[in-house]
């Protein structure tokens, strides 16, 4: 059996603990509502297929059909339904959501 790399073990333990803490407490966070001021400013919708592409033409760009929270590089999944987004601090966004801040 190979020797255990102490630094690797500690880093893995810290990462696991951090993920567990985020997952546990993020469920208590409010879900972004459609009338949230930031949501309105960013064109956020809970279901990406319902984006008004006349108004938010980024979503109508090539490959736009694949733009949603789960494909956004700043999305942090909590579970299959919700995740965290730094644009909506302290709140949860829908996994199938979208906003104009989408990042490839
Ligand atoms: Fe979703 Fe990305 Fe917009 Fe955040 S920035 S709401 S993760 S599409």
């Amino acid at each position: 059996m190979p020797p255990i790399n102490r630094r690797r073990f500690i880093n893995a333990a810290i990462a696991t603990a951090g993920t567990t803490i985020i997952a546990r407490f993020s469920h208590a966070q409010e879900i972004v509502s459609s009338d949230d001021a930031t949501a309105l400013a960013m064109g956020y919708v809970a279901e990406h297929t319902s984006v008004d592409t006349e108004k938010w033409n980024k979503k109508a760009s090539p490959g736009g059909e694949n733009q949603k929270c789960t494909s956004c590089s700043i999305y942090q999944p909590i579970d299959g339904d919700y995740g965290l987004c730094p644009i909506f601090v302290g709140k949860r966004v829908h996994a199938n959501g979208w906003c104009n801040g989408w990042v490839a």
Side-chain angles (χ1 to χ4, degrees), residues 32-34 38-40 42-52 56 59 67-69 88 93-100:
V32 174
S33 64
S34 57
T38 305
L40 292 170
M42 295 299 292
Y44 173 82
V45 290
E47 174 51 57
H48 74 101
T49 58
S50 67
V51 173
D52 177 357
W56 303 101
K59 179 69 169 151
Q67 292 180 12
K68 59 181 180 177
C69 290
F88 299 96
V93 295
H94 288 265
N96 280 331
W98 180 91
C99 88
N100 203 41

Side-chain angles (χ1 to χ4, degrees), residues 1-102:
M1 184 181 207
I4 295 174
N5 180 318
R6 190 170 148 189
R7 180 176 289 173
R8 245 191 195 165
F9 175 79
I10 291 170
N11 285 342
I14 290 169
T16 301
T19 302
T20 302
I21 289 168
I22 289 169
R24 175 164 293 188
F25 291 103
S26 56
H27 278 89
Q29 292 175 317
E30 180 184 345
I31 299 166
V32 174
S33 64
S34 57
D35 61 351
D36 178 285
T38 305
L40 292 170
M42 295 299 292
Y44 173 82
V45 290
E47 174 51 57
H48 74 101
T49 58
S50 67
V51 173
D52 177 357
T53 52
E54 293 287 318
K55 184 173 182 183
W56 303 101
N57 55 21
K58 179 181 190 175
K59 179 69 169 151
S61 63
E65 68 276 9
N66 298 321
Q67 292 180 12
K68 59 181 180 177
C69 290
T70 53
S71 66
C72 178
S73 63
I74 61 173
Y75 180 72
Q76 301 167 320
I78 297 170
D79 55 32
D81 298 323
Y82 299 101
L84 302 177
C85 170
I87 291 176
F88 299 96
V89 176
K91 297 181 180 179
R92 290 183 285 161
V93 295
H94 288 265
N96 280 331
W98 180 91
C99 88
N100 203 41
W102 183 87

